[in-house]
Amino acid sequence: MHALTSLRRRATAPAVVTLLFALTYALAVVAGRATRPEQGALALLWPASGVALLWLLHVRSRRCLALATALLLVLTGLLNQATGLPALAAWNIAAATTVQAHVVLRVLRRLAPRGLRLQRARALWVLLLAAVAGSAVGAVLAAPGNAVLLDRDPAHLALQWFARHVSGTTIVAGIALALDRRRGGGHSAARWFEYVAVMTTATAGSHVLFNVLHKETLTFVVVPVAVWLGMRTSVRVTAWTMTGVSCFHLLMARAGAGPFGGLPLVERAVAVQLFLLVVTVLALVLALHHDERRQLVAGLRRASGVAEEQMLLLSTVFDRARDALTVCAADGTVLMHNSAAQDLLGDVPADVRAAVWTRFTSLERPDGTPYGREDRPLVRALAGEHVDHVDVHGTLPDGGRVVLDVTVHPLPPAPGAAWSRGALMSARDVTAERAAHRAVRESRDLFAGVLDAATEVAIVVCDVDGRIVLFNGGAHRLLGYTAEEVLGRTPLLWYDTGEVEARADELGVEPGFDVFTAVPRREGSETRQWTHVTKDSRRLQVSLSVSLLRDGAGEVIGAIGVATDVTARLQAEAALVHRAHHDALTGLPNRVLLHERLTTALRAAREGTSVGLVAIDLDGFKHVNDSAGHAAGDDLLQAVADRLSLCVRGDDTVARLGGDEFAVLCPAASRDDLRGVAQRVLAALQAPFTLDAGTFHVGASIGWSVAGADGPAVEELLQQADEAMYAAKRDGKNRAYGYDVRDRARAERAAVLLPQLADALRRGEFRLHGQPVVDLGSGAVVAVETLLRWQHPERGLLAPGEFLDVLESSPFMPAVGRHVLHESCRMAAGWSAALGADAPAVHVNVSARQLEAGTFLSEVRGALDRFGLDPHLLVVELTETHAAHITESLRGDLEDLRRLGVRVAIDDLGTGYSGLARLTELPVDVLKIDLQFVRGMLTDPSCDAVVRAVLSIGQALGTTVVAEGVETAEQADRLRSYGADTGQGWLFGRPVPEPDLLAALTAQPAPTA
């Protein structure tokens, strides 16, 4: 849309201008016709010729010029015909007028090719000459035809045409061009007053002379007025004034008045036209000359001011220049010198060939040889030679030395000038500068020596474009390149391209030298690790420190890089980090690395995804260690690690936590995934392990837990997996349990009880109650089982069901077990002292944690010795589940105890089905039927069958069988009928504290067997 509008504007503007010129031309023709006297047909002035010229001057293109010519022809013919001329005469005049205008235009373009601008008098003369030429052509073309058509004298017609068109073209076009000039400076009030006075007087005088006194012969008195006008006013004022003067005289001539009122009509018309032409041209010429002179004077004044300013500037610069400047004539005469030259050189003699500067006793070259007469820089320059920056060493009278940097150039020939073919000498004291350069050179040599000696570090210096300018021996030793191979090249030669591009992206720069200097430009320096590729393609890790080099002005001129090979150190650090995060025996991640990866996995967990953890504790590993030695145990752990690694997914982590504990981290795993991992682990460990020390079987107790984005934290997840693993171990080992909400409740309960249990152990809040074991035949108490109770400071006396499960999985269990063992032995020793041979034996429950500690034998011996208890009065009870996993070493401890006289009982028989097969292998003296079978034997055939089976096994093995949980006489009778020897339960007595127990034992009848 904008482009279309622009095209319309460009097309419309010439049309509008053409229309305006056409209207103006029509008005000019009408105005010219209006100047005809009433008695005549001739116009006194023809302004249309000037308008026609202005119209054609304004046209730029040939197409528009052709259109303007056609319009000019048509308008002229129609207007002349409309104002009363016959048709043929009208169109004859139109043709002559059109040709005349083109002739004037051609002459102007030839004489003023850059366009006609009325800035100087010459332009007005060119306009007049073109008007004369064009009017002459027009007169020749129009006069013959019109003489015939109008029955007129051709000579008179030609003269009238010529005068009318010359004056019309020159006056109208000249005034219009004068008014088109740039506006100059305004007149002062006095000048305007002068103008009004002169013009008023001239107008009044003309009226009196020509209209009152009729002194037509005094017409020349108008000329001085025109001269005054051109000399005292601007071109624009002159143009406006001449416009008024022309109109005034035309009106008087038309009315038959004025200086030419008495002349015949033809002579009057010609006279008026020529008079106005002469006066107008005279006034404008004088005004243009006056303007030129004024502009010239102003220009000269400006030039003079500029010259004075430049002269002052040159003089100031010359005198204030820090260099010593001296100008000499061709013969060596000193023409001028500045103050610096006076201070630096002293008085310069007129004959520079004959003497030296007065400040110095001698002048020498840098090598110490004196200058000859013709070798001095100034003398050489006077001979036409250009001498640039020559060091001249001057010796002072006191023996001091001054170094001058001297430049002398010959001056060009300048006829009439004193300095023609002379010389300009510039001298500067560079003593300190040369000394500094010498010091820098010496420092550079020293620095280069130091760099070459620094063979343990690579030092590379680059210029501002990144090109190597220094490459020390350490760099050669590190990279294998020689200095000749790398000078002028960039350090990118030995950098890893991918590493450079990655760093460039990080900094937002191009992958080039800016990668090394971007940070130092902001922070001054940078130390960063890079990979260097040596000439023989080895890859080294280096620590590179880069600093910028700056000149005295603070501009960066290059950079220096110092690189140290840190490959060995990084490898050592990596080995240390690997060692800190991995198990030395198996090479698996250790607890630290597992913790880190678990933390990362939990952070990365998103909605809908979860993180799983599997805790694995080997069953039977202690037996391998005890029977085959620690070397075999280490071999077994390595083999287990290999099998575990084959059971997991690609992104899972198998870790060894210590001892025989392992864990598997499973990111993005569901409960089914973890269950599958656990089952694969159990299956993998079922196969025997064949080692150098023999073939071994181990199992695993496995617990697993899952955490989502809002799930437990790291430590809580580890605790949950451990809780599930201990639950699997408590329930018989060699199985896998997943953590559920009940485990969470147990964990929360454990979190509350554990600190209380620690306080209870410290404050001695644990108590022992005793429950009798009676002979089913006589009813006598043959033994007492000690049962643990907790005297809680707030909740009172707590039964084992309130705390024992938490205690057994806590680190306090071994200590509590020792406490129970010692207290039981103490109580039994008291019964023995009170009852003598009738004292019952004491049954002490032993936890799996006590058995696994490896110190159980020594603890039992210590308790017996401490309280002097007969070993035959001590029975240690193991659960059937624990009995199934008794190692060879523990079996040996039990055998030792039996040899001492301590009896071994298997408790809860019937609950751990896998334990029945091992009864014949274990040193067992007492079998205790689990209370659930005793309670159900009267109503449940299965329970009854289990009871009878255990009694049969006891009879076959020759061991005592105790039926637990006897609560009714019917149960007791049934047991007697099956041949049971002893029973235990509420029918015979509830668990009671030690004082009540001793009283009951004292009051009972003595046993019969």
Side-chain angles (χ1 to χ4, degrees):
M1 187 67 186
H2 177 74
L4 182 58
T5 302
S6 178
L7 288 173
R8 288 175 177 174
R9 287 178 178 175
R10 287 198 293 268
T12 303
V16 172
V17 172
T18 300
L19 179 59
L20 290 176
F21 268 111
L23 292 175
T24 303
Y25 181 75
L27 293 175
V29 171
V30 173
R33 288 298 182 188
T35 62
R36 291 180 297 176
E38 295 180 1
Q39 300 85 359
L42 295 176
L44 297 178
L45 186 66
W46 193 248
S49 59
V51 174
L53 176 60
L54 294 174
W55 187 357
L56 298 183
L57 281 174
H58 184 77
V59 175
R60 293 290 182 265
S61 66
R62 293 185 178 182
R63 181 178 179 182
C64 291
L65 181 61
L67 177 61
T69 301
L71 287 175
L72 180 62
L73 176 64
V74 172
L75 280 175
T76 304
L78 293 177
L79 289 172
N80 282 328
Q81 190 173 353
T83 53
L85 283 177
L88 291 178
W91 289 100
N92 182 46
I93 291 174
T97 300
T98 303
V99 174
Q100 171 185 295
H102 270 276
V103 171
V104 175
L105 181 64
R106 289 284 184 178
V107 173
L108 287 178
R109 288 185 175 175
R110 177 61 61 88
L111 298 179
R114 296 184 179 179
L116 188 63
R117 296 289 184 270
L118 206 61
Q119 300 296 331
R120 296 187 178 183
R122 179 182 179 279
L124 186 60
W125 292 118
V126 169
L127 175 61
L128 178 60
L129 179 59
V132 169
S135 299
V137 172
V140 170
L141 294 176
N146 281 357
V148 174
L149 295 173
L150 300 176
D151 193 20
R152 301 285 182 87
D153 183 7
H156 285 176
L157 287 177
L159 178 60
Q160 293 171 9
W161 179 284
F162 180 78
R164 185 167 64 246
H165 285 274
V166 169
S167 59
T169 300
T170 304
I171 293 172
V172 173
I175 291 175
L177 292 173
L179 294 175
D180 192 46
R181 284 166 51 91
R182 291 188 301 271
R183 185 181 299 274
H187 292 314
S188 62
R191 183 64 59 85
W192 280 115
F193 177 79
E194 177 186 352
Y195 172 79
V196 172
V198 172
M199 295 310 299
T200 302
T201 302
T203 303
S206 297
H207 175 68
V208 171
L209 282 176
F210 304 126
N211 295 331
V212 177
L213 301 179
H214 300 289
K215 298 294 184 177
E216 289 81 0
T217 57
L218 298 179
T219 304
F220 62 88
V221 298
V222 178
V223 174
V225 177
V227 172
W228 173 87
L229 185 66
M231 296 296 293
R232 298 292 289 172
T233 64
S234 66
V235 175
R236 292 174 63 85
V237 172
T238 300
W240 281 115
T241 303
M242 292 312 302
T243 301
V245 170
S246 299
C247 293
F248 175 73
H249 280 281
L250 286 173
L251 291 175
M252 286 197 300
R254 185 177 184 279
F260 308 107
L263 295 178
L265 184 57
V266 174
E267 287 83 350
R268 189 197 312 171
V270 173
V272 167
Q273 292 165 3
L274 294 178
F275 171 74
L276 292 177
L277 174 63
V278 171
V279 173
T280 300
V281 171
L282 176 62
L284 286 176
V285 166
L286 291 176
L288 287 170
H289 277 300
H290 181 65
D291 257 13
E292 287 183 41
R293 180 179 177 278
R294 185 171 60 250
Q295 293 174 6
L296 179 61
V297 170
L300 289 175
R301 287 176 179 171
R302 287 194 300 272
S304 177
V306 171
E308 289 179 0
E309 290 179 1
Q310 291 178 345
M311 196 63 150
L312 178 61
L313 176 62
L314 180 61
S315 176
T316 302
V317 171
F318 184 81
D319 193 58
R320 297 293 177 88
R322 298 180 62 183
D323 289 354
L325 301 177
T326 303
V327 179
C328 296
D331 60 357
T333 303
V334 176
L335 299 177
M336 60 186 301
H337 61 273
N338 63 357
S339 56
Q342 180 68 35
D343 296 339
L344 181 62
L345 306 176
D347 294 327
V348 181
D351 186 0
V352 297
R353 295 178 177 82
V356 298
W357 293 302
T358 57
R359 189 183 175 206
F360 305 109
T361 59
S362 64
L363 299 175
E364 295 89 19
R365 296 182 176 86
D367 59 3
T369 59
Y371 275 103
R373 174 180 296 180
E374 301 301 325
D375 293 336
R376 295 172 186 168
L378 182 57
V379 176
R380 290 162 55 192
L382 290 174
E385 182 181 351
H386 289 264
V387 181
D388 290 308
H389 299 291
V390 174
D391 277 4
V392 176
H393 292 241
T395 303
L396 299 173
D398 61 0
R401 303 277 294 176
V402 176
V403 182
L404 302 177
D405 177 22
V406 177
T407 296
V408 192
H409 287 174
L411 296 175
W419 47 265
S420 178
R421 300 186 183 278
L424 171 64
M425 181 178 68
S426 170
R428 182 164 54 93
D429 187 349
V430 293
T431 306
E433 184 178 331
R434 294 296 184 264
H437 285 173
R438 184 170 58 256
V440 169
R441 184 171 59 254
E442 293 172 354
S443 298
R444 185 179 62 229
D445 294 342
L446 176 62
F447 180 59
V450 172
L451 292 182
D452 287 337
T455 58
E456 296 303 318
V457 293
I459 302 176
V460 179
V461 179
C462 299
D463 61 18
V464 72
D465 296 320
R467 302 295 175 183
I468 299 171
V469 297
L470 188 146
F471 189 83
N472 80 328
H476 166 65
R477 180 174 175 271
L478 178 68
L479 299 170
Y481 293 99
T482 64
E484 291 74 14
E485 290 176 310
V486 300
L487 290 178
R489 303 176 70 177
T490 70
L492 296 174
L493 172 66
W494 55 79
Y495 280 84
D496 180 88
T497 304
E499 197 172 68
V500 171
E501 291 176 350
R503 180 60 172 164
D505 291 340
E506 180 182 343
L507 296 174
V509 299
E510 291 297 322
F513 190 63
D514 287 344
V515 169
F516 310 112
T517 60
V519 173
R521 286 181 184 275
R522 296 194 309 267
E523 302 176 7
S525 64
E526 180 190 31
T527 299
R528 182 179 178 83
Q529 184 177 316
W530 289 93
T531 300
H532 282 181
V533 182
T534 65
K535 186 177 181 180
D536 57 0
S537 300
R538 289 181 297 112
R539 298 177 69 85
L540 304 177
Q541 297 299 311
V542 302
S543 175
L544 175 67
S545 296
V546 178
S547 300
L548 298 182
L549 301 176
R550 300 179 183 273
D551 58 15
E555 295 295 326
V556 176
I557 59 174
I560 181 172
V562 180
T564 304
D565 186 359
V566 296
T567 306
R569 190 194 76 194
L570 292 178
Q571 290 173 347
E573 290 176 353
L576 289 175
V577 171
H578 185 274
R579 192 175 305 155
H581 288 82
H582 290 79
D583 177 54
L585 177 63
T586 63
L588 295 176
N590 61 9
R591 184 181 296 272
V592 175
L593 184 55
L594 176 70
H595 194 284
E596 291 179 0
R597 292 186 179 178
L598 183 55
T599 302
T600 302
L602 288 175
R603 287 176 181 170
R606 296 292 183 266
E607 186 175 354
T609 65
S610 56
V611 177
L613 181 67
V614 180
I616 304 170
D617 188 83
L618 297 182
D619 298 328
F621 174 72
K622 189 173 186 301
H623 165 66
V624 179
N625 253 353
D626 294 343
S627 62
H630 290 286
D634 290 345
D635 292 341
L636 177 63
L637 290 174
Q638 291 174 341
V640 168
D642 293 338
R643 290 192 187 181
L644 292 180
S645 299
L646 298 175
C647 297
V648 299
R649 304 171 304 172
D651 55 350
D652 295 342
T653 297
V654 179
R656 183 189 177 205
L657 305 183
D660 58 353
E661 295 182 17
F662 295 84
V664 180
L665 168 63
C666 303
S670 65
R671 298 179 67 87
D672 290 338
D673 293 331
L674 294 181
R675 188 177 293 109
V677 170
Q679 294 303 322
R680 288 195 297 273
V681 170
L682 290 174
L685 297 181
Q686 285 180 353
F689 290 86
T690 301
L691 307 176
D692 292 340
T695 301
F696 303 93
H697 290 82
V698 294
S701 296
I702 301 175
W704 50 268
S705 181
V706 179
D710 299 325
V714 173
E715 295 300 335
E716 187 176 355
L717 184 61
L718 287 167
Q719 183 179 352
Q720 290 178 358
D722 279 343
E723 288 291 336
M725 183 266 292
Y726 283 121
K729 192 174 287 290
R730 284 194 302 269
D731 288 352
K733 303 184 181 181
N734 200 35
R735 64 195 65 201
Y737 282 175
Y739 184 84
D740 58 21
V741 293
R742 289 173 295 179
D743 294 323
R744 179 180 294 274
R746 285 194 293 269
E748 293 174 354
R749 175 169 162 267
V752 174
L753 287 178
L754 280 174
Q756 297 179 8
L757 290 170
D759 293 338
L761 180 62
R762 187 177 67 256
R763 293 194 292 255
E765 294 174 358
F766 292 110
R767 304 286 186 267
L768 290 181
H769 285 200
Q771 185 178 35
V773 178
V774 301
D775 186 296
L776 291 176
S778 63
V781 177
V782 297
V784 174
E785 181 180 359
T786 54
L787 301 172
L788 186 65
R789 298 292 186 267
W790 180 9
Q791 188 64 49
H792 196 281
E794 298 175 359
R795 299 169 59 189
L797 189 66
L798 301 181
E802 298 288 336
F803 64 89
L804 190 57
D805 58 336
V806 176
L807 180 60
E808 285 183 339
S809 62
S810 74
F812 313 125
M813 190 63 228
V816 174
R818 286 192 296 272
H819 171 74
V820 170
L821 175 63
H822 280 248
E823 283 296 292
S824 297
C825 290
R826 180 188 63 77
M827 292 169 61
W831 304 333
S832 178
L835 301 176
D838 296 332
V842 63
H843 285 227
V844 180
N845 290 286
V846 179
S847 72
R849 301 289 293 277
Q850 287 178 273
L851 298 176
E852 294 170 355
T855 59
F856 183 63
L857 176 60
S858 62
E859 289 176 358
V860 172
R861 283 175 172 171
L864 293 173
D865 294 341
R866 179 181 178 185
F867 298 105
L869 180 66
D870 184 352
H872 294 87
L873 295 178
L874 177 62
V875 179
V876 292
E877 292 190 3
L878 312 176
T879 65
E880 182 189 356
T881 302
H882 295 152
H885 298 283
I886 290 177
T887 62
E888 290 298 324
S889 61
L890 180 56
R891 186 167 61 177
D893 290 344
L894 295 177
E895 291 284 2
D896 290 342
L897 289 176
R898 291 185 72 199
R899 281 190 286 270
L900 288 175
V902 177
R903 288 176 288 170
V904 178
I906 300 299
D907 196 9
D908 301 333
L909 196 65
T911 59
Y913 305 106
S914 61
L916 294 174
R918 297 200 65 192
L919 290 178
T920 58
E921 303 175 2
L922 297 176
V924 178
D925 301 288
V926 179
L927 299 179
K928 300 186 75 172
I929 305 173
D930 188 72
L931 59 86
Q932 64 177 322
F933 301 111
V934 175
R935 287 174 181 171
M937 70 179 184
L938 297 178
T939 58
D940 187 345
S942 298
C943 293
D944 184 70
V946 170
V947 171
R948 287 187 285 109
V950 174
L951 290 170
S952 299
I953 293 174
Q955 293 171 359
L957 295 177
T959 60
T960 301
V961 177
V962 178
E964 295 182 303
V966 180
E967 299 176 353
T968 67
E970 291 81 1
Q971 292 171 345
D973 292 340
R974 178 68 64 86
L975 290 171
R976 291 188 192 99
S977 68
Y978 289 159
D981 300 324
T982 56
Q984 178 182 353
W986 285 5
L987 178 64
F988 310 114
R990 292 174 178 269
V992 294
E994 179 183 358
D996 297 338
L997 179 62
L998 181 59
L1001 292 175
T1002 303
Q1004 74 163 347
T1008 59

